[in-house]
Amino acid sequence: MPDTKFDNDVAQFCAVTGASAKDARKFMEAHKRLDIAIDAFYTNPKAFASSARRKGDSTVPSSSKLNQLFDKYKDPEDENITVDGTIKFCEDLEVDPEDVVLLAIAYELKSPRMGQWTRAGWVDGWKAVGADSISGMKYALTRLRDQLASDPRYFQKVYNHTFDFARSEGQRSLGLETAQAFWGLLLPHGFQGGALSRANDDDNDVKMDGDEGWKKEYLQWWFDFMNQKGLKGVSKDTWVMFLDFIRSTNSTFSNYDMEAAWPSTIDDFVEYAKHRLASGA
């Protein structure tokens, strides 16, 4: 009696990865579950490769398909995909344009700024991710969302790229409201998945002190502090170092070294936060 579920999983595996049915069956037989099998394929697509497989076959993302997709979304009056094409692309992916995973895609595709995608970044980026179809891209979004939440190094790469991606053209700093919006998007995601856990820090003293570290309400304190100080923008140095700060501080900020090379904005925030803790505010 045929196994309908297995055959359906094989068909879906082929649709997502572009692999042959023969190789799809090998991955499914080895890993049983569709999601695990697809993950295994993207980790090592040649693990069960047919001996007759050659470079340039259907398992390799197609530049032609990616260029066709790019042309579908490209602004007719521009060389790039712009805001309207981005909205249409998100609709096809069934993802909110403000979903945090789009920041991972922006990093992978080397998007120069919000709502803009170059042809070279699009083709090279999606080939590196391993997708050349909407169905494959949908699956890639799931993987990248999980990786962004759980992988500290990947989170930092996306986080650092976000500063340049979100910055207005010609500006050296990031507008305060924009910075706060992206902090509010990225940081909760990283804490929820463990990418920002202090247990991932390389400092053994931090690992062993038993302190929970940065608390979620401190992000609002940071926003309150910056608003009260009347800051108009955030420098790249502050943006980058703030991530190191929240991953290394304890919950009372008592391990913060004022003599270290932290930006003055973070120095001032620590004083503000300590005062707020002492007053119970």
Side-chain angles (χ1 to χ4, degrees):
M1 184 174 181
D3 186 338
T4 304
K5 183 180 184 306
F6 181 81
D7 290 342
N8 288 340
D9 285 346
V10 167
Q12 189 171 349
F13 186 102
C14 293
V16 170
T17 65
S20 68
K22 181 177 181 180
D23 287 339
R25 287 181 173 276
K26 290 180 179 179
F27 274 94
M28 285 303 305
E29 287 168 354
H31 299 286
K32 312 303 179 186
R33 277 177 44 183
L34 178 62
D35 57 341
I36 296 175
I38 292 176
D39 275 338
F41 174 85
Y42 282 118
T43 300
N44 182 13
K46 296 183 178 181
F48 300 99
S50 301
S51 58
R53 188 179 306 287
R54 297 184 300 274
K55 184 177 180 180
D57 69 6
S58 61
T59 65
V60 178
S62 165
S63 295
S64 175
K65 288 182 179 179
L66 288 168
N67 274 299
Q68 288 174 13
L69 275 175
F70 185 89
D71 289 336
K72 175 182 177 180
Y73 302 115
K74 187 180 80 70
D75 189 326
E77 299 180 359
D78 196 286
E79 292 301 311
N80 301 316
I81 296 172
T82 55
V83 174
D84 289 344
T86 299
I87 293 172
K88 174 59 179 172
F89 178 52
C90 290
E91 289 174 352
D92 290 349
L93 288 177
E94 300 177 318
V95 64
D96 190 316
E98 296 184 359
D99 192 311
V100 69
V101 76
L102 266 298
L103 297 179
I105 297 300
Y107 165 73
E108 295 290 349
L109 273 57
K110 298 180 174 59
S111 171
R113 61 189 55 89
M114 290 187 286
Q116 184 172 330
W117 315 83
T118 66
R119 185 180 295 274
W122 174 276
V123 173
D124 293 344
W126 281 120
K127 288 179 76 172
V129 169
D132 61 10
S133 65
I134 292 298
S135 60
M137 291 172 183
K138 284 181 178 180
Y139 184 78
L141 259 62
T142 300
R143 292 191 295 112
L144 292 175
R145 184 183 286 106
D146 291 344
Q147 185 176 1
L148 182 62
S150 61
D151 184 336
R153 290 180 177 82
Y154 187 70
F155 183 94
Q156 185 161 20
K157 290 177 181 178
V158 173
Y159 176 88
N160 288 348
H161 177 265
T162 297
F163 181 88
D164 296 315
F165 168 76
R167 183 177 50 179
S168 298
E169 189 172 6
Q171 297 297 311
R172 296 183 64 183
S173 62
L174 192 59
L176 184 60
E177 289 187 5
T178 301
Q180 290 179 346
F182 282 104
W183 272 321
L185 191 62
L186 280 161
L187 300 183
H189 188 72
F191 277 114
Q192 183 178 14
L196 297 183
S197 170
R198 295 168 76 237
N200 288 318
D201 202 289
D202 292 331
D203 184 343
N204 289 329
D205 291 336
V206 171
K207 289 181 183 179
M208 298 175 63
D209 65 11
D211 186 280
E212 63 185 300
W214 180 270
K215 297 182 179 180
K216 61 181 180 180
E217 59 264 31
Y218 291 168
L219 182 59
Q220 186 58 53
W221 289 18
W222 173 241
F223 293 168
D224 292 345
F225 160 76
M226 301 184 91
N227 293 333
Q228 290 176 24
K229 195 171 182 180
L231 297 180
K232 301 299 182 185
V234 176
S235 69
K236 187 164 188 177
D237 185 46
T238 297
W239 176 269
V240 171
M241 294 296 288
F242 183 66
L243 186 62
D244 294 332
F245 167 63
I246 64 175
R247 293 190 69 244
S248 62
T249 190
N250 60 26
S251 62
T252 61
F253 308 98
S254 62
N255 67 335
Y256 184 79
D257 183 0
M258 287 287 186
E259 301 303 317
W262 295 104
S264 60
T265 301
I266 296 179
D267 285 341
D268 293 345
F269 170 71
V270 170
E271 291 297 322
Y272 166 89
K274 285 182 175 180
H275 177 76
R276 194 160 172 173
L277 282 171
S279 64

